[in-house]
Amino acid sequence: MRYPIYRPRRLRTNENLRRLIREINISADDLIMPLFVRPGKGVRNKISSMPGNFQLSVDELVKEGQKAVDLGIPAVILFGIPERKDAVGSEGYKKGNIVAKAVSALKDKVEDLIVITDVCLCEYTDHGHCGVVKKKKGGKDFSIDNDATLELLARMALSHVEAGADMVAPSDMMDGRIGAVRSALDAGGFLDTPIMAYAAKYASAFYGPFREAAESPPKFGDRRSYQMDPPNTDEAIREVALDIEEGADIVMVKPALPYLDVIYRVKQEFGYPVAAYNVSGEFSLVKAAAERKWVDEQKLVIEILTSIKRAGADMILTYHAMEVASWLK
Ligand code: PBG
């Protein structure tokens, strides 16, 4: 197609003109802040690979939640770090588990904040896998017991929602988990509680810093039997379709920046609300370069978030959320 002549330069020379033309704006409205909660009081453990992020006890978490609200951030997502880990991650779904406690405190003390909870076994299992492990005799060989895991995930999700969680986000990538969680919530009377599904989650090297933060690196093997292979996008479409069929209300692509094409396809194909997780490794790369003054952090972060939104994401989970919201104020 031949385009009629237009004079873009004129529209770029002036900031007010640029504002009028701009197709995408990043605002605090787009952001979800991930927070880590652990037992104790007055605890604020620095996460060394993720500057500015902490493992927080519930009392400290409440302060962060309030800060998020003050900055205009609509939602936080919680990750729990338990006192003890075991083979089946019992601390993740027992009565009064750490995330349930955190949720009640936030709902009780912070007004106007959506509390989402991550639902997965890996922070609670001693082997660090996202599901129950069936070890094959002798050797390192192992497999994940998908169906035994579903029941535990459903219990975990229900425990969070009973404590007041506004939404749950299963991140384990077991088959059938959205259906299992949906049925458990419905049976518990929580028919209106939405599910954000980590639908297309890749087996990524970008999760490294998170695993320090959540103390959850797998003790053997890796997560490639349940997380997706990075080269595949048709498979992402199938994963998203399944999750939607099982009852997902929001679908997530994770990581974000290396998978913009996936975000784009998912948005085009389904027209569902799409979340993108700008994961720990993406965050830490930027921080490390910024500390060396190799990049302009603010410009870089806004450009990254803009690219994610331009690809089709409606919301972005990012460890930069609080900083970005304060820059935009
Ligand atoms: C748990 C989970 C992970 C992340 C979110 N939920 C880790 C993993 O799958 O290894 C990663 C988030 C990040 O890197 O920021 N299953």
Side-chain angles (χ1 to χ4, degrees):
M1 164 178 178
R2 266 201 76 223
Y3 290 96
I5 292 167
Y6 90 115
R7 296 188 168 72
R9 187 160 301 125
R10 290 239 184 129
L11 304 178
R12 293 175 189 146
T13 45
N14 173 290
E15 177 55 19
N16 283 334
L17 280 171
R18 276 199 298 272
R19 283 170 58 209
L20 289 171
I21 303 293
R22 200 162 279 156
E23 295 169 38
I24 281 179
N25 282 294
I26 294 297
S27 91
D29 295 349
D30 305 319
L31 307 177
I32 299 173
M33 179 72 196
L35 294 170
F36 299 95
V37 60
R38 68 171 312 141
K41 232 180 160 343
V43 181
R44 247 185 122 74
N45 292 348
K46 275 196 179 131
I47 300 163
S48 66
S49 57
M50 298 171 69
N53 287 267
F54 303 86
Q55 296 178 337
L56 305 161
S57 52
V58 173
D59 51 329
E60 292 291 321
L61 178 81
V62 166
K63 294 182 198 161
E64 291 295 302
Q66 188 55 54
K67 196 172 130 196
V69 171
D70 296 342
L71 288 166
I73 293 172
V76 296
I77 180 164
L78 302 182
F79 296 91
I81 301 137
E83 203 101 56
R84 266 173 306 279
K85 307 194 184 217
D86 64 24
V88 290
S90 341
E91 295 249 335
Y93 42 85
K94 72 167 191 197
K95 236 183 143 34
N97 62 70
I98 180 65
V99 170
K101 279 189 189 140
V103 170
S104 339
L106 283 172
K107 293 315 290 182
D108 189 37
K109 303 210 165 75
V110 183
E111 236 172 283
D112 255 357
L113 179 67
I114 294 292
V115 180
I116 309 168
T117 61
D118 183 89
V119 174
C120 188
L121 289 189
C122 68
E123 296 114 84
Y124 307 98
T125 51
D126 50 16
H127 45 70
H129 279 285
C130 304
V132 177
V133 167
K134 280 195 286 203
K135 249 202 137 137
K136 300 209 181 98
K137 275 182 251 127
K140 283 184 285 200
D141 231 9
F142 73 98
S143 65
I144 302 290
D145 189 338
N146 189 90
D147 295 0
T149 307
L150 296 184
E151 197 196 311
L152 307 181
L153 294 168
R155 277 169 67 184
M156 187 183 295
L158 189 59
S159 77
H160 297 168
V161 173
E162 280 170 345
D166 298 291
M167 176 150 70
V168 288
S171 70
D172 51 283
M173 286 295 277
M174 297 301 126
D175 299 326
R177 81 242 201 254
I178 300 303
V181 167
R182 185 70 269 160
S183 317
L185 297 188
D186 290 353
F190 300 100
L191 284 92
D192 294 329
T193 303
I195 300 177
M196 176 193 277
Y198 286 68
K201 177 174 177 181
Y202 286 87
S204 171
F206 281 94
Y207 307 148
F210 173 94
R211 291 178 187 171
E212 178 205 328
E215 301 174 5
S216 66
K219 297 285 179 311
F220 50 84
D222 55 40
R223 303 206 209 286
R224 281 185 294 185
S225 77
Y226 43 101
Q227 298 182 351
M228 287 182 50
D229 200 18
N232 300 349
T233 57
D234 289 341
E235 191 186 350
I237 299 301
R238 292 196 296 274
E239 287 281 2
V240 171
L242 277 173
D243 283 1
I244 288 175
E245 220 170 270
E246 290 176 28
D249 302 280
I250 299 173
V251 289
M252 191 198 294
V253 174
K254 176 184 171 199
L257 199 51
Y259 298 90
L260 294 181
D261 56 326
V262 180
I263 296 173
Y264 182 80
R265 269 191 77 181
V266 167
K267 187 62 179 177
Q268 296 295 313
E269 196 104 12
F270 300 99
Y272 256 62
V274 173
Y277 203 142
N278 181 225
V279 300
S280 59
E282 299 174 65
F283 170 85
S284 299
L285 290 182
V286 171
K287 278 288 172 201
E291 275 176 5
R292 288 173 170 77
K293 309 234 179 340
W294 288 351
V295 293
D296 178 330
E297 183 177 11
Q298 291 198 18
K299 285 197 176 136
L300 192 63
V301 170
I302 297 292
E303 189 173 335
I304 288 172
L305 297 181
T306 300
S307 76
I308 296 169
K309 196 168 171 187
R310 202 182 56 234
D314 299 287
M315 65 201 87
I316 305 170
L317 294 84
T318 175
Y319 302 96
H320 268 114
M322 301 272 218
E323 281 167 286
V324 170
S326 67
W327 301 336
L328 293 175
K329 266 213 160 201

